[in-house]
Amino acid sequence: MIEGILLNTRAAVDKADLRAAYRGVFASPAGRIVLADITGSLKRVPLPGQSAEERAFHDGERALALRIVRTLVTTEDDHG
């Protein structure tokens, strides 16, 4: 099931519907556990001696976590 979603292009989704879907997923007990794990990357700081690849990987994790959080907390009013 997941493989089909990952490999197919998705149709455009209304932003309000997308926010509602994110909130539905992450409001469940399991979703809260997953969200806590994902947002753990927001607390990590680059360590001295990390390679450029390691920093890029962690930057990517952080960017995804921020996108999820922004989608969850954004309201219709925020879009003017």
Side-chain angles (χ1 to χ4, degrees):
M1 179 174 97
I2 295 294
E3 293 81 9
I5 294 169
L6 295 175
L7 298 175
N8 291 326
T9 57
R10 71 175 175 94
V13 178
D14 178 70
K15 287 185 181 193
D17 291 340
L18 186 61
R19 279 191 306 278
Y22 269 66
R23 289 174 180 161
V25 167
F26 291 111
S28 72
R32 289 177 187 202
I33 291 169
V34 171
L35 184 60
D37 180 61
I38 290 169
T39 57
S41 67
L42 297 175
K43 299 173 189 164
R44 283 190 221 120
V45 295
L47 299 173
Q50 276 188 329
S51 70
E53 291 84 9
E54 289 171 314
R55 284 181 183 253
F57 178 80
H58 292 297
D59 285 347
E61 281 187 315
R62 188 172 189 281
L64 178 58
L66 288 171
R67 178 171 189 247
I68 292 168
V69 169
R70 264 194 308 271
T71 302
L72 290 170
V73 300
T74 301
T75 65
E76 197 62 37
D77 294 335
D78 293 334
H79 292 288

